Amino acid sequence: MATLSLLPPSTSLRSSSSSAPPARRSLVVRAQSAPVLTQDELKKQAASKAVEFVSSGMVLGLGTGSTAAFVVAEIGDLLASGKLGDIVGALSLGIPLSTLDDHPHIDLAIDGADEVISDPSSIDRSICQAAGSAPAGKMVEAASDKFVVVVDDTKLVDGLGGSGLAMPVEVVQFCWKYNLTRLQELFKEEGCEAKLRLDPDGKPYVTDNSNFIVDLYFSTPIRDASAAGREISAFEGVVEHGLFLDMATEVIIAGSGGVSIKTK
């Protein structure tokens, strides 16, 4: 908080004698700083903007991350109030559940991300999802007419891998160490460290597809995400990776200055 006084420095607020002129009152102006929003509040702002893309009768693909949870909650509230109807997407909060087999065409997919390139000309994104989510997530998003990513501005990076968070690669269990070594070698110039993901008991984490996950940690960002995605996928035994490239149609970003939308 800043305080501004319009009283001249030479003027005293108390007179030294009874004959002195009365002191002038000071005018104090206090500048109130804007409230600082929490990360959850920013996520909720982005989620609210994403829900504006939803209309009654849609088939939705909804993510499972913390930001996507705000989307699901708001859609659930709109369904409960009758402002939305006939929505298919997620079982929680009263949204009926379906599968890609039953609904091979999806109107809209909404998900969060761990990283988004801050370059306005790019809406590539990298996301670290729970076990088994990357293959299923890409299938859902590829089947969608629109794919909207919702993030707060802490997720913006100059290059994918720049946040220091793990970038997952799902691999078959057979010779997983061989692929772990190859993945680390592939990104040695980025200072990559490859680690097998473990469960709370210290055993290898097994995905929904009965595979393992190798998490990649980068000291410096990936220079060419598209090339990296192709090279990872070319390895025998790699099932899927966490780079979602050229898939998003819109990215909604909430920050201290408001909500912005990057469009493909």
Side-chain angles (χ1 to χ4, degrees):
M1 184 188 302
T3 301
L4 173 65
S5 175
L6 301 185
L7 181 66
S10 60
T11 304
S12 172
L13 290 178
R14 294 186 298 176
S15 60
S16 58
S17 68
S18 58
S19 61
R24 291 182 296 169
R25 291 184 178 179
S26 63
L27 176 62
V28 178
V29 179
R30 289 183 173 88
Q32 299 287 346
S33 59
V36 178
L37 298 178
T38 66
Q39 191 173 7
D40 278 349
E41 288 170 333
L42 292 175
K43 290 178 180 180
K44 192 171 184 179
Q45 283 188 355
S48 296
K49 179 61 68 173
V51 172
E52 294 179 10
F53 287 84
V54 180
S55 58
S56 294
M58 277 189 168
V59 177
L60 303 177
L62 300 173
T64 57
S66 59
T67 306
F70 287 111
V71 174
V72 174
E74 185 155 342
I75 293 173
D77 289 343
L78 292 173
L79 284 170
S81 66
K83 295 180 181 179
L84 280 179
D86 194 25
I87 294 291
V88 175
L91 183 61
S92 62
L93 301 175
I95 307 174
L97 178 68
S98 185
T99 67
L100 195 57
D101 287 335
D102 293 333
H103 290 87
H105 174 261
I106 297 174
D107 298 297
L108 172 67
I110 305 175
D111 204 352
D114 282 339
E115 294 181 341
V116 172
I117 297 269
S118 57
D119 181 355
S121 65
S122 171
I123 58 173
D124 291 347
R125 73 168 186 139
S126 170
I127 182 171
C128 175
Q129 296 183 331
S133 297
K138 286 188 178 180
M139 290 175 68
V140 168
E141 288 146 14
S144 303
D145 290 340
K146 280 182 174 290
F147 174 31
V148 177
V149 177
V150 287
V151 295
D152 63 85
D153 59 3
T154 65
K155 306 299 185 182
L156 299 180
V157 294
D158 293 331
L160 297 181
S163 69
L165 297 174
M167 195 277 281
V169 179
E170 187 167 340
V171 299
V172 298
Q173 294 192 31
F174 177 74
C175 293
W176 65 266
K177 290 183 180 178
Y178 169 66
N179 272 322
L180 182 149
T181 301
R182 290 205 293 174
L183 288 166
Q184 183 164 292
E185 181 67 18
L186 177 64
F187 297 107
K188 63 180 180 180
E189 293 185 7
E190 289 82 5
C192 175
E193 182 179 8
K195 296 181 179 180
L196 181 69
R197 184 178 296 185
L198 304 177
D199 64 19
D201 295 327
K203 298 178 181 179
Y205 193 103
V206 180
T207 72
D208 297 339
N209 302 312
S210 299
N211 298 313
F212 288 167
I213 288 181
V214 173
D215 286 322
L216 305 182
Y217 297 87
F218 299 93
S219 297
T220 59
I222 300 170
R223 290 171 298 182
D224 187 335
S226 296
R230 290 192 300 269
E231 292 175 319
I232 293 171
S233 296
F235 284 169
E236 300 81 5
V238 166
V239 178
E240 192 52 90
H241 57 73
L243 295 172
F244 286 61
L245 305 172
D246 197 30
M247 298 184 73
T249 53
E250 285 88 13
V251 176
I252 299 174
I253 305 166
S256 57
V259 178
S260 62
I261 302 177
K262 294 167 65 176
T263 303
K264 186 173 181 178

